[in-house]
Amino acid sequence: MTRYKRQDPELTRRKFINAAMGGAAAVGGISLISTLGAAKPAFRLTPQLAPPLAGDIIVHSDPSRYGEPVKVSDLSEQLVRAWPAFKDEGGKLVVRDQDPTSVLAVYRFPKGQIVEPTNLEATIDGEIVAYGDRCTHAGCNVEDNKQQPGLMNCPCHSGQYDPKQGCKVIGGPPPHPLPQLPIKLEGEQLVVTGFFMSVPYGYSKEEDWKRYTEQVQEALS
Ligand code: FES
């Protein structure tokens, strides 16, 4: 059996959104309706299906701390897996955990270790950096490389990434780096400042991702 099935990589972002059309109304909250273009069907984008957005707070995904805001003191050279979350009208944090492409990997490295092509302005003090955590090859979750600390390994087909260098691909079949997510510190919380800065899993071209982000912005306005 191929390990492609591990994270159900066939369930692409677009299929995921389309699959959610029928059930999204039951989720509650606001519904953002847009279109994918004349040839594609309309889709319904609920807040929990939305990608990480400016203003979102980064929260733990581990079941033992699920939904707790990630603090600087939680971070190290070991991967912390996280989700974006937003505050609803009552001030309660709601996790955007319905699109697997929104899952994040967050690191803190000693000053000076994070270098280009990482976008340093999108890190916190050049020490804390966040990326999308779905491998750009077939969508598996990427993990710490246990043999080479500080690097990342994809368990499905041995893709290798360097989170200190913009998560560039340093081995294996992934076609693109993991996408960096711009972040800043507000008080003790890590806050998202924009969309993924390059193509996440599920998008082969920059222009497709850009078009999607424009549609999301339009739906939100
Ligand atoms: S899914 Fe194939 S290397 Fe990551």
Side-chain angles (χ1 to χ4, degrees), residues 7-21:
Q7 291 294 327
D8 197 5
E10 296 306 316
L11 190 64
T12 65
R13 179 187 188 83
R14 192 61 64 217
K15 285 176 182 171
F16 186 92
I17 289 170
N18 287 339
M21 285 173 63

Side-chain angles (χ1 to χ4, degrees), residues 4 135-140 142 154-161 172-174:
Y4 269 69
C135 183
T136 58
H137 179 225
C140 296
V142 184
C154 178
C156 291
H157 316 100
S158 302
Q160 309 284 323
Y161 299 90

Side-chain angles (χ1 to χ4, degrees), residues 7-88:
Q7 291 294 327
D8 197 5
E10 296 306 316
L11 190 64
T12 65
R13 179 187 188 83
R14 192 61 64 217
K15 285 176 182 171
F16 186 92
I17 289 170
N18 287 339
M21 285 173 63
V27 172
I30 59 169
S31 290
L32 309 172
I33 301 173
S34 186
T35 63
L36 293 172
K40 304 258 181 81
F43 72 94
R44 195 183 300 270
L45 180 62
T46 68
Q48 285 159 295
L49 266 175
L53 299 174
D56 283 355
I57 293 164
I58 294 179
V59 300
H60 285 275
S61 74
D62 187 276
S64 65
R65 302 187 65 182
Y66 181 84
E68 273 182 43
V70 173
K71 294 182 183 165
V72 172
S73 57
D74 298 332
L75 296 169
S76 70
E77 297 167 57
Q78 295 198 321
L79 185 156
V80 169
R81 200 164 281 137
W83 289 111
F86 67 97
K87 282 192 179 159
D88 68 10

